Amino acid sequence: MSVNEISGLIIGIIVFLGSVLSLISAIGLVRLPDIYTRSHAATKSATLSVLCILFGLFLFFTVIKDYVSARILLGIVFVFITAPVGGHLISRAAYHSGVSLWESSIHDELNGKKDKQHTSS
Amino acid sequence: MMNLLLHISAVIIAVSILIALYRVAKGPSMPDRVIALDMIGINLISLVAVVSLILETTAFFEVMLLLGILAFIGTVAFSKFIEKGVVIERKRD
């Protein structure tokens, strides 16, 4: 096997790992019981999967094609910054718009602090 | 071998987009649908990346950046709309 074949195999395995993480995240999005646990599934593992796949793409064009692309690095940084912010914003909007927790949830930190936070913000 | 792995990955990502689409259709509340749409946007970025790996072209890199920016702006606008009822506030104080 030449160097290109071995690095191609490694890149294929990284991309495959990212796609499996994406499938796990989709299964979590369907199976979990309420919006807050679903946001846990949809933001963390989906972000990790897209980071894996973009890193594989960067490795492919760097090692095999000899083309270092700054746009992929920019995409990695942008996704890594914005995905947790989006998940946090939508969970906050869900709590303030009164979406109820799962009935087996035992603890609610924000319970009773909702009005005070609204007047201060 | 690498091409086989890449094609399998594209199929798996498409299947996970379909599963998230089921959550968009069924979701009991509005934020469920928004989270599923956000995840569809993230998965579209990875699908475009896998397609550009299969075709070995650099033509789709801007598409990935634009999809990321649009998914983030859409999520922020939707969450502000759900929380306050408006997207752009007119009242300044």
Side-chain angles (χ1 to χ4, degrees):
Chain A
M1 290 175 75
S2 67
V3 175
N4 275 354
E5 289 183 13
I6 296 173
S7 49
L9 190 61
I10 293 173
I11 290 162
I13 287 174
I14 290 176
V15 172
F16 184 71
L17 193 70
S19 68
V20 169
L21 276 172
S22 157
L23 185 65
I24 289 171
S25 147
I27 291 172
L29 195 66
V30 171
R31 295 273 303 170
L32 286 175
D34 70 340
I35 171 73
Y36 308 103
T37 48
R38 264 178 224 145
S39 77
H40 159 81
T43 48
K44 281 177 190 139
S45 49
T47 308
L48 187 60
S49 82
V50 73
L51 287 187
C52 274
I53 290 175
L54 288 182
F55 184 64
L57 186 65
F58 178 72
L59 274 186
F60 178 78
F61 279 101
T62 305
V63 175
I64 297 181
K65 296 290 179 188
D66 279 339
Y67 174 72
V68 179
S69 170
R71 285 173 287 180
I72 303 179
L73 287 180
L74 197 61
I76 289 175
V77 170
F78 192 78
V79 170
F80 189 62
I81 290 175
T82 58
V85 177
H88 171 76
L89 274 176
I90 194 64
S91 298
R92 188 169 170 271
Y95 194 87
H96 284 321
S97 68
V99 179
S100 63
L101 272 70
W102 185 33
E103 66 264 18
S104 297
S105 300
I106 55 170
H107 192 54
D108 186 6
E109 284 272 350
L110 274 177
N111 195 8
K113 294 182 183 174
K114 190 178 166 186
D115 293 334
K116 197 166 67 177
Q117 199 175 34
H118 251 306
T119 53
S120 68
S121 63
Chain B
M1 189 64 194
M2 178 188 168
N3 264 328
L4 180 67
L5 277 175
L6 291 183
H7 283 86
I8 294 175
S9 313
V11 171
I12 288 176
I13 294 170
V15 167
S16 73
I17 287 180
L18 284 181
I19 295 175
L21 205 61
Y22 165 76
R23 180 52 76 191
V24 173
K26 183 173 176 285
S29 65
M30 219 30 207
D32 283 311
R33 297 188 170 95
V34 180
I35 273 190
L37 279 177
D38 187 39
M39 193 188 138
I40 284 178
I42 294 281
N43 277 336
L44 271 180
I45 298 174
S46 13
L47 191 58
V48 171
V50 172
V51 166
S52 90
L53 264 175
I54 291 174
L55 297 180
E56 298 188 2
T57 176
T58 65
F60 296 133
F61 289 176
E62 287 88 3
V63 179
M64 294 185 311
L65 277 177
L66 277 177
L67 275 178
I69 294 169
L70 285 181
F72 176 61
I73 291 177
T75 307
V76 171
F78 263 121
S79 68
K80 199 167 177 191
F81 175 71
I82 289 171
E83 192 168 354
K84 295 183 178 171
V86 292
V87 177
I88 302 171
E89 293 179 61
R90 294 178 183 274
K91 188 181 67 175
R92 297 176 182 273
D93 49 6

